[in-house]
């Protein structure tokens, strides 16, 4: 009973402290929202239409038909370049690398069954260029088929796994929630614990009945509350600003609980084993940044090379994000349960280590 | 039973013997001051007594408890200001007092406590905005929240203005009145002389001497002296008239007294001489004079923040 009272007192005190420090508020609440707005803005609207500059030099009708068909795919945004312009010069002055030139004999050759090429300007290292190449050859094949009076037998119809109205942002949201779960407690607690150690505040607190476990639990409690708040804020901004579809299922809750538990403990561990505030920040960043990028926060882990995927599987954030994806997108609660089990084991180990190495009295 | 019993206490940091086999006791209700130059081992000693550091050897009992093994129990009964007290930057003194009260599960009147340490005016300022002295006062306030039986004050007045220092003195005197024991370290020797029932002077991990300030002055002081401004002739005259030891330094005649009656004899001799004289004082050595002689070097207050 006494412990509950102490934890509450420490939590209230920490909340005062936190709410008055702008840095804490920024990382805890503003930053996740900024992230949602940023990514939402980048990927909203026409999905991911790539812009391609097209110069139609064709004297006949087939060239414009071809341009119309390209436009009709909806995947490309066509920007027509007047035939009077020098095309490559035009691309350079627009800082663009992707373009198509339809030759002047396009219609004539098409009608005469002569071979003719459309020229694609591209950047071999860009996936946009690749996409444009694929779309262009697809449309060209349709024209070839038409010319041969053939009928398409095989086809593809695209659909996302959820309703077809799901957009890119919906797939991003679990990753960004995971990001918020990681970043806000990790940065803050690493810094706070190293600072308290330097300023001898832990020593000071050790002279009260507060125990180090009480202290850690109070911080975990605080970050659980903050994580729920930032989850709701991110969801609200996602929904109102971009019409995101968010699956609110009770299955999200265990992840919002275990995440802060894990990363507060990890932050504490890093802060307490570091010899200075600066080295704690360095070690904290060394852990946080790779974890952030390799755990599927911004792009799916399955697109990474195999050895990096192996690395991802030892990062705790991976299981947070995979779990959130499982419950929010795939509705695969069985798989989420496995993620949860892994997380509970990792969290308990890290919590135990943090309590073990946390020097409350002597430095 | 004394409040604190220490015998054969030792603590080393690597090859540095910071506390080297010291022994002392502090009685209940006593104000005990530990004095010594920077790095003498005062903070190390006091932190061992508070249960913040583990000792290498020796027997230590604080209020009948082993401070390292029974820290949790002990901390409910002691109050502490660590040297160079710091706290959470965004917490106000009033909140800090209430926070401590909740941790100790006691009811307190925060305003009352802050009034005692003269911090009422700043009770709603963030800790980081307080002046150095105000911060120390907040530390003092926190050390009193749990109504301790024993208070450890490690340099509580360093950096305080004279008025604030006297306010802390008043708090310490009131603690004594309430029967609370105090262990105090300070680099202001007049403070120890003013407040302490007993002092111990520590150097390089060892206690050189301990006792009441008067005892120490009597034992190590050079005795009572009369100083009077005058010339060399006056010095010679007093020497022949009284047969006492007389020195002449920078225009001041210094007569070292041996017995009580010497004072009158010297004054009469001065009157009889008919020579010019002024600024006559009769003074014994202060604790600081003795301290400086014992340690063999002048205390440098400017360095107090260095070692901790
Ligand atoms: N944590 C530590 N690790 C290593 N050495 C230490 C540590 N704490 C103190 N020392 C050393 O032990 C010696 C005694 O230090 P201590 O802080 O006890 O001195 P002090 O008498 O309180 O000095 P001051 O008047 O400057 O506060 C010093 O030489 C100091 O450098
Ligand atoms: Mg000290």
């Amino acid at each position: 009973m006494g412990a509950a009272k102490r934890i509450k007192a420490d939590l209230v005190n920490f909340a005062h402290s936190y709410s008055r420090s702008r840095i804490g508020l920024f990382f805890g609440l503003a930053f996740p929202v900024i992230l949602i707005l940023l990514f939402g803005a980048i990927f909203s609207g026409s999905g991911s239409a790539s812009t391609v500059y097209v110069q139609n030099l064709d004297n006949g009708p087939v060239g414009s038909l071809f341009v119309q068909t390209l436009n009709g795919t909806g995947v490309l945004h066509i920007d027509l370049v007047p035939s009077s312009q020098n095309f490559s010069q035009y691309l350079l002055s627009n800082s663009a690398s992707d373009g198509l030139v339809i030759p002047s004999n396009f219609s004539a050759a098409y009608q005469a069954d002569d071979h003719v090429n459309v020229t694609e300007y591209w950047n071999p290292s860009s996936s946009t260029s690749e996409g444009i190449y694929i779309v262009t050859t697809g449309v060209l094949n349709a024209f070839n088929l038409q010319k041969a009076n053939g009928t398409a037998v095989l086809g593809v119809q695209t659909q996302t796994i959820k309703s077809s109205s799901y957009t890119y942002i919906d797939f991003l949201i679990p990753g960004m929630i995971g990001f918020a779960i990681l970043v806000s407690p990790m940065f803050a607690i690493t810094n706070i614990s190293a600072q308290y150690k330097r300023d001898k505040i832990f020593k000071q607190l050790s002279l009260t009945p507060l125990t180090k476990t009480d202290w850690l639990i109070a911080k975990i409690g605080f970050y659980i509350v903050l994580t729920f708040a930032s989850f709701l804020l991110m969801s609200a901004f996602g929904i109102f600003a971009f019409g995101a579809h968010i699956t609110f299922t009770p299955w999200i809750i265990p992840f919002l609980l275990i995440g802060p538990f894990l990363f507060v403990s990890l932050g504490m561990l890093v802060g307490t084993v570091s010899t200075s505030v600066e080295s704690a920040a360095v070690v904290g960043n060394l852990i946080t940044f790779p974890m952030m990028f390799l755990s599927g926060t911004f792009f799916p882990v399955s697109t990474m090379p195999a050895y990096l995927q192996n690395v991802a599987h030892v990062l705790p954030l991976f299981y947070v994000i995979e779990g959130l994806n499982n419950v929010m997108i795939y509705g695969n609660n069985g798989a989420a349960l496995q993620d949860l089990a892994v997380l509970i084991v990792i969290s308990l180990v890290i919590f135990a280590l943090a309590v073990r190495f946390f020097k409350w009295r002597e430095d | 039973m004394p409040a604190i019993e220490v015998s054969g206490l030792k603590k080393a940091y690597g090859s540095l013997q910071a506390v080297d086999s010291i022994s002392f006791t502090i009685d209940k209700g006593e104000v005990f001051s530990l004095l010594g130059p920077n790095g003498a081992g005062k903070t190390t000693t006091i932190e061992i007594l508070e249960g913040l550091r583990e000792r290498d050897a020796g027997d230590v009992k604080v209020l009948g408890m082993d401070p390292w093994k029974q820290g949790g129990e002990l901390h409910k009964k002691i109050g502490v200001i660590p040297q160079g007290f710091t706290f959470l930057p965004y917490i106000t003194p009033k909140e800090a007092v209430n926070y401590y009260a909740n941790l100790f599960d006691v009811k307190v009147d925060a305003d009352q406590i802050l009034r005692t340490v003269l911090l009422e005016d700043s009770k709603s300022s963030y800790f980081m905005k307080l002046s150095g002295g105000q911060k120390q006062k907040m530390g003092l306030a926190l050390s009193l929240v749990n109504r301790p039986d024993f208070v450890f004050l490690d340099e509580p007045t360093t950096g305080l203005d004279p008025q604030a220092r006297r306010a802390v003195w008043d708090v310490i005197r009131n603690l004594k009145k309430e029967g609370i024991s105090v262990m105090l370290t300070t680099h202001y020797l007049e403070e120890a002389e003013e407040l302490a029932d007993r002092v111990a002077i520590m150097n390089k991990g060892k206690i050189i001497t301990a006792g009441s300030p008067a005892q120490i002055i009597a034992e190590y002081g050079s005795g009572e002296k009369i100083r009077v401004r005058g010339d060399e002739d006056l010095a010679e005259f007093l020497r022949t008239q009284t047969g006492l030891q007389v020195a002449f330094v920078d225009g001041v005649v210094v007569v070292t007294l041996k017995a009580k009656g010497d004072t009158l004899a010297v004054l009469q001799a001065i009157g009889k001489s008919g020579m010019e004289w002024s600024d006559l004082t009769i003074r014994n050595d202060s604790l600081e004079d003795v301290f400086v002689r014992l340690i063999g070097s002048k205390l440098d207050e400017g360095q107090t923040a260095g070692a901790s």
Side-chain angles (χ1 to χ4, degrees):
Chain A
M1 221 42 243
K5 198 172 172 193
R6 293 194 300 270
I7 291 170
K8 184 181 158 227
D10 188 58
L11 206 158
V12 169
N13 188 62
F14 185 72
H16 275 144
S17 220
Y18 187 92
S19 61
R20 290 165 187 165
S21 126
R22 299 220 176 85
I23 298 173
L25 279 184
F26 176 77
F27 275 110
L29 296 174
F31 192 55
V33 168
I34 292 173
L35 212 65
I36 280 279
L37 292 179
L38 211 66
F39 276 85
I42 294 172
F43 295 110
S44 67
S46 54
S48 50
S50 326
T51 297
V52 59
Y53 289 90
V54 177
Q55 189 174 44
N56 185 4
L57 302 173
D58 185 22
N59 301 319
V62 186
S64 10
L65 192 63
F66 178 73
V67 173
Q68 270 174 37
T69 316
L70 269 183
N71 201 15
T73 62
V75 201
L76 299 181
H77 174 256
I78 308 278
D79 215 327
L80 278 175
V81 179
S83 48
S84 56
Q85 296 282 340
N86 175 328
F87 192 66
S88 52
Q89 202 56 51
Y90 190 89
L91 283 186
L92 288 175
S93 60
N94 280 284
S95 307
S97 54
D98 299 307
L100 290 174
V101 179
I102 301 164
S104 56
N105 62 340
F106 193 65
S107 293
Y110 183 76
Q111 274 144 12
D113 279 343
D114 278 346
H115 183 78
V116 65
N117 277 333
V118 168
T119 312
E120 182 184 352
Y121 287 73
W122 79 338
N123 173 353
S125 67
S126 143
S127 60
T128 314
S129 298
E130 233 167 81
I132 294 167
Y133 178 79
I134 293 167
V135 173
T136 312
T137 46
V139 172
L140 285 172
N141 280 337
F143 273 66
N144 285 335
L145 198 62
Q146 174 80 22
K147 180 69 189 162
N149 285 324
T151 343
V153 180
L154 305 176
V156 180
Q157 192 193 350
T158 61
Q159 188 172 2
T160 56
I161 36 167
K162 288 288 196 156
S163 90
S164 55
S165 60
Y166 261 57
T167 58
Y168 191 79
I169 185 138
D170 302 330
F171 290 93
L172 260 181
I173 278 181
M176 275 189 279
I177 293 168
F179 178 87
I181 288 176
L182 164 73
V183 165
S184 135
M186 253 317 261
F187 283 162
I189 296 294
T190 305
N191 183 263
I192 284 172
S193 51
Q195 231 170 315
Y196 278 27
K197 190 166 123 176
R198 181 194 62 194
D199 297 341
K200 306 207 175 93
I201 290 174
F202 284 140
K203 230 177 187 182
Q204 175 80 23
L205 291 176
S206 81
L207 292 163
T208 73
L210 191 75
T211 66
K212 52 184 180 177
T213 314
D214 293 341
W215 187 88
L216 200 51
I217 291 175
K219 302 300 138 348
I220 291 170
F222 178 81
Y223 275 96
I224 286 176
V225 174
L226 194 73
T227 300
F228 273 89
S230 77
F231 167 73
L232 292 177
L233 266 178
M234 289 169 88
S235 304
F237 274 87
I239 291 167
F240 292 117
F242 305 109
H245 301 75
I246 293 171
T247 319
F248 290 100
T249 142
W251 281 90
I252 297 173
I253 294 172
F255 290 96
L256 299 185
L257 295 175
I258 197 83
F261 181 81
L262 171 59
F263 294 118
V264 167
S265 306
L266 186 59
M268 178 74 235
L269 184 60
V270 171
T272 201
V273 299
S274 304
T275 47
S276 71
V277 177
E278 292 72 24
S279 69
V282 171
V283 178
N285 288 344
L286 279 179
I287 294 177
T288 309
F289 281 103
M291 179 138 73
M292 195 156 93
F293 288 108
L294 297 180
S295 300
T297 313
F298 302 115
F299 39 83
V301 171
S302 55
T303 61
M304 303 191 309
Y307 75 97
L308 277 184
Q309 293 195 30
N310 291 336
V311 174
H313 282 79
V314 301
L315 301 174
L317 183 63
F318 169 81
Y319 297 96
V320 174
I321 292 174
E322 190 183 69
L324 285 172
N325 274 317
N326 276 332
V327 298
M328 293 177 74
I329 292 180
Y330 305 112
N332 188 349
N333 298 340
L337 220 49
Q338 282 183 19
D339 295 316
L340 211 52
V342 175
L343 282 172
I344 288 172
V345 172
I346 299 178
S347 302
L348 288 177
V349 170
I350 292 182
F351 180 81
L353 287 176
V355 171
R356 169 78 183 69
F357 286 108
F358 182 179
K359 283 215 179 117
W360 189 241
R361 301 200 279 188
E362 207 169 1
D363 38 84
Chain B
M1 190 185 68
I4 288 186
E5 289 179 273
V6 175
S7 82
L9 174 62
K10 284 189 183 177
K11 174 79 182 181
Y13 300 110
S15 61
L16 176 83
Q17 194 66 44
V19 175
D20 195 358
S21 202
I22 62 170
S23 306
F24 60 90
T25 58
I26 302 178
D27 287 331
K28 283 214 172 86
E30 193 176 28
V31 176
F32 182 90
S33 182
L34 194 56
L35 306 173
N38 294 133
K42 304 180 297 295
T43 298
T44 304
T45 304
I46 227 171
E47 288 193 347
I48 290 171
L49 300 183
E50 293 160 355
L52 288 179
R53 284 188 188 280
E54 197 172 7
R55 60 188 184 270
D56 295 342
D59 289 326
V60 176
K61 283 267 180 295
V62 179
L63 302 175
M65 287 177 262
D66 180 322
W68 184 254
K69 296 201 181 102
Q70 292 164 282
E73 225 12 71
L74 179 65
H75 292 158
K76 290 179 191 155
K77 297 190 172 166
I78 62 171
V80 170
I81 306 191
Q83 182 172 3
F85 168 79
T86 45
F87 206 68
L88 306 172
Y90 290 99
I91 293 298
T92 70
K94 190 167 178 178
E95 287 167 344
V97 168
N98 285 324
Y99 172 49
Y100 263 49
N102 284 324
L103 293 181
F104 280 106
D105 202 9
V106 292
K107 286 233 172 337
V108 296
D109 180 351
D111 292 322
Q112 167 61 37
I113 289 188
L114 293 170
R115 210 173 301 132
T116 339
V117 299
L118 298 189
L119 194 57
E120 239 207 335
D121 293 345
S122 310
K123 66 181 178 190
S124 304
S125 307
Y126 293 157
F127 180 76
M128 62 176 186
K129 301 248 166 95
L130 298 177
S131 74
Q134 289 167 332
K135 286 178 176 161
Q136 284 292 99
K137 289 186 200 169
M138 179 169 136
L140 191 58
L142 289 184
S143 74
L144 302 179
V145 168
N146 58 332
R147 293 187 205 94
D149 294 335
F150 199 112
V151 179
F152 294 93
L153 306 173
D154 197 353
E155 297 193 24
T157 58
T158 297
L160 264 60
D161 64 45
Q163 209 183 343
R165 178 168 306 148
R166 276 168 181 73
V168 173
W169 292 5
D170 282 341
V171 173
I172 295 174
R173 287 195 192 101
N174 282 333
L175 291 175
K176 187 177 159 60
K177 250 183 237 157
E178 290 172 35
I180 297 168
S181 328
V182 177
M183 182 165 178
L184 168 79
T185 76
T186 178
H187 289 296
Y188 304 104
L189 277 296
E190 88 277 11
E191 182 168 297
E193 213 172 337
E194 183 78 26
L195 296 171
D197 298 313
R198 283 192 310 133
V199 304
I201 298 180
M202 212 176 163
N203 192 25
K204 298 187 178 141
K206 290 194 160 75
I207 291 183
I208 309 171
T209 183
S212 71
Q215 281 170 350
I216 291 179
I217 291 168
E219 185 168 347
Y220 296 96
S222 53
E224 225 167 1
K225 291 190 176 76
I226 290 183
R227 287 181 173 77
V228 60
R229 198 164 278 285
D231 57 19
E232 201 129 30
D233 293 343
L234 179 64
E236 189 50 45
F237 184 78
L238 293 180
R239 193 173 293 133
T240 50
Q241 284 286 314
T242 63
L244 291 167
Q245 190 195 325
V246 179
F248 182 75
V249 191
D250 295 337
V252 177
V253 181
V254 183
V255 185
T256 305
L257 306 176
K258 279 191 189 142
K260 262 221 135 52
D262 292 346
T263 315
L264 276 178
V266 173
L267 292 180
Q268 275 166 356
I270 292 172
K272 215 167 96 186
S273 74
M275 294 181 211
E276 285 287 311
W277 63 272
S278 62
D279 298 339
L280 185 138
T281 59
I282 307 174
R283 193 171 76 80
N284 202 339
D285 272 357
S286 66
L287 192 57
E288 181 156 341
D289 296 325
V290 174
F291 180 92
V292 171
R293 191 164 314 130
L294 278 172
I295 302 301
S297 72
K298 183 94 183 99
L299 265 193
D300 183 3
E301 284 168 9
Q303 287 175 8
T304 53
S308 66

